């Protein structure tokens, strides 16, 4: 595990974006696994700027996102499809058919999830997977539980997550109750992992990932068994760990 300390959110975003950019510059047809959430937004802004400055070209890249709410149409501004277009895809020269986000409107979870894993495998597998970290140690929508789910699957969101998301919707009833997510196995198959973590509120979760026992109760802790993980984290997020 390689741990890179950043001074603040801006610094974290720049350092992590540089790693993703180097991946694409050295392998222009890279297969990227991408994430939503608030943490990667600054990273995506840097990629957009460097694309506009001619430093990086996405014309041969293909992307697969980690997760999507089930039952939310793609034009809903809370869907991860919408998020990715707004924060990255609409601003770079990634071909339209090259980005993949799970289809939350597919009523058949098994078919949606199995075809997603198969498509990633057929493309040659992920060169690098970008991850954020949840306060409870979750990665993608893999919450603390008794085992490490292998492939892409459908999850019931826990009540805390539904409550936390309610502020983004007109009413609590509109908050999706389920999501499609890559499994821990799908994530661990990526050749490289890049995790971004920002803020003192993530310090305990990050300490568990870096120093605690490897357990499905802290899903991110599984990364300690991956041979090529880079974590770019702000100093306050690293504050509870031995790495400063
Ligand atoms: C996003 C995802 C989530 C987030 C995590 C952290 O696609 O799968 O696991 O990475 O919830 O979210 P933020 O960055 O908003 O703190």
């Amino acid at each position: 595990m390689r741990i890179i300390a950043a001074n603040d959110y801006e610094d974290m975003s720049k350092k992590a974006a540089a790693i993703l950019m180097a991946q694409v510059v050295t392998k222009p047809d890279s297969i990227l696994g991408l994430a939503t959430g608030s943490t990667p937004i600054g990273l995506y802004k840097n990629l957009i700027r460097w694309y506009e400055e001619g430093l990086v070209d996405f014309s041969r890249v293909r992307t697969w996102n980690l997760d999507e709410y089930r039952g939310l149409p793609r034009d809903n501004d809370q869907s991860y499809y919408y998020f990715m277009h707004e924060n990255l895809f609409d601003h770079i020269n990634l071909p339209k058919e090259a980005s993949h986000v799970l289809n939350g409107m597919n009523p058949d979870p098994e078919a949606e999830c199995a075809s997603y894993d198969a498509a990633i495998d057929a493309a040659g597998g992920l060169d690098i997977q970008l991850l954020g970290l949840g306060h409870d140690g979750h990665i993608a929508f893999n919450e603390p539980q008794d085992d490490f789910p292998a492939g892409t699957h459908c999850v019931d969101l826990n009540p805390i997550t539904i409550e936390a998301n309610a502020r983004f919707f007109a009413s609590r009833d509109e908050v999706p109750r389920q999501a499609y997510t890559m499994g821990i196995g799908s994530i661990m198959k990526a050749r490289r992992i890049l995790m971004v973590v920002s803020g003192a509120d993530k310090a305990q979760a990050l300490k568990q990932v870096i120093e605690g026992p490897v357990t499905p109760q802290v899903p991110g802790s599984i990364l300690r068994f991956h041979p090529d993980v880079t974590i770019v984290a702000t100093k306050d997020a690293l504050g509870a760990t031995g790495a400063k």
Side-chain angles (χ1 to χ4, degrees):
M1 221 173 222
R2 207 174 292 115
I3 297 167
I4 299 175
N7 292 326
D8 53 22
Y9 180 77
E10 304 307 320
D11 190 33
M12 177 207 76
S13 300
K14 210 171 274 179
K15 286 184 159 80
I19 292 170
L20 264 193
M21 181 170 85
Q23 169 69 43
V24 174
V25 168
T26 50
K27 183 171 185 265
D29 60 348
S30 284
I31 310 288
L32 308 182
L34 298 178
T36 60
S38 52
T39 316
I41 292 176
L43 181 165
Y44 293 148
K45 284 202 171 97
N46 281 301
L47 287 184
I48 293 166
R49 188 159 45 85
W50 293 336
Y51 159 70
E52 288 168 352
E53 290 170 2
L55 297 177
V56 58
D57 170 25
F58 293 93
S59 63
R60 293 172 59 202
V61 166
R62 281 176 288 166
T63 70
W64 271 266
N65 260 78
L66 282 173
D67 42 17
E68 178 60 286
Y69 289 117
R70 185 177 182 201
L72 211 55
R74 292 186 151 176
D75 60 1
N76 184 301
D77 64 6
Q78 293 305 316
S79 78
Y80 288 173
Y81 178 93
Y82 190 101
F83 174 102
M84 287 309 301
H85 282 76
E86 186 165 75
N87 287 291
L88 184 65
F89 298 156
D90 289 352
H91 311 285
I92 57 175
N93 66 336
L94 184 74
K96 203 173 165 14
E97 65 285 359
S99 66
H100 305 83
V101 180
L102 281 151
N103 177 9
M105 296 307 283
N106 187 341
D108 182 344
E110 278 80 35
E112 181 60 26
C113 297
S115 65
Y116 202 69
D117 283 335
I120 295 172
D121 287 346
L126 301 167
D127 287 305
I128 189 164
Q129 175 66 57
L130 175 64
L131 295 175
L133 179 66
H135 290 104
D136 56 2
H138 72 238
I139 50 176
F141 266 121
N142 298 285
E143 299 283 357
Q145 55 196 302
D146 293 336
D147 59 3
F148 290 114
T152 300
H153 59 292
C154 182
V155 288
D156 294 330
L157 301 185
N158 69 35
I160 298 169
T161 306
I162 294 169
E163 211 52 60
N165 289 346
R167 67 186 191 279
F168 299 120
F169 293 85
S171 77
R172 198 179 178 283
D173 291 344
E174 284 179 33
V175 185
R177 299 297 198 258
Q178 290 185 311
Y180 292 143
T181 181
M182 278 192 202
I184 297 293
S186 332
I187 293 168
M188 290 291 280
K189 277 204 281 184
R191 285 182 272 282
R192 298 173 69 196
I193 305 273
L194 172 62
M195 175 178 266
V196 283
V197 190
S198 171
D201 56 312
K202 296 279 177 74
Q204 281 310 319
L206 187 54
K207 182 180 170 64
Q208 290 304 310
V209 167
I210 296 175
E211 296 172 356
V214 175
T215 163
Q217 296 300 331
V218 181
S221 64
I222 193 72
L223 298 179
R224 297 236 297 283
F225 288 155
H226 191 286
D228 191 344
V229 177
T230 302
I231 298 179
V232 186
T234 58
K235 283 187 175 153
D236 53 359
L238 285 169
T241 71
K244 299 271 158 52

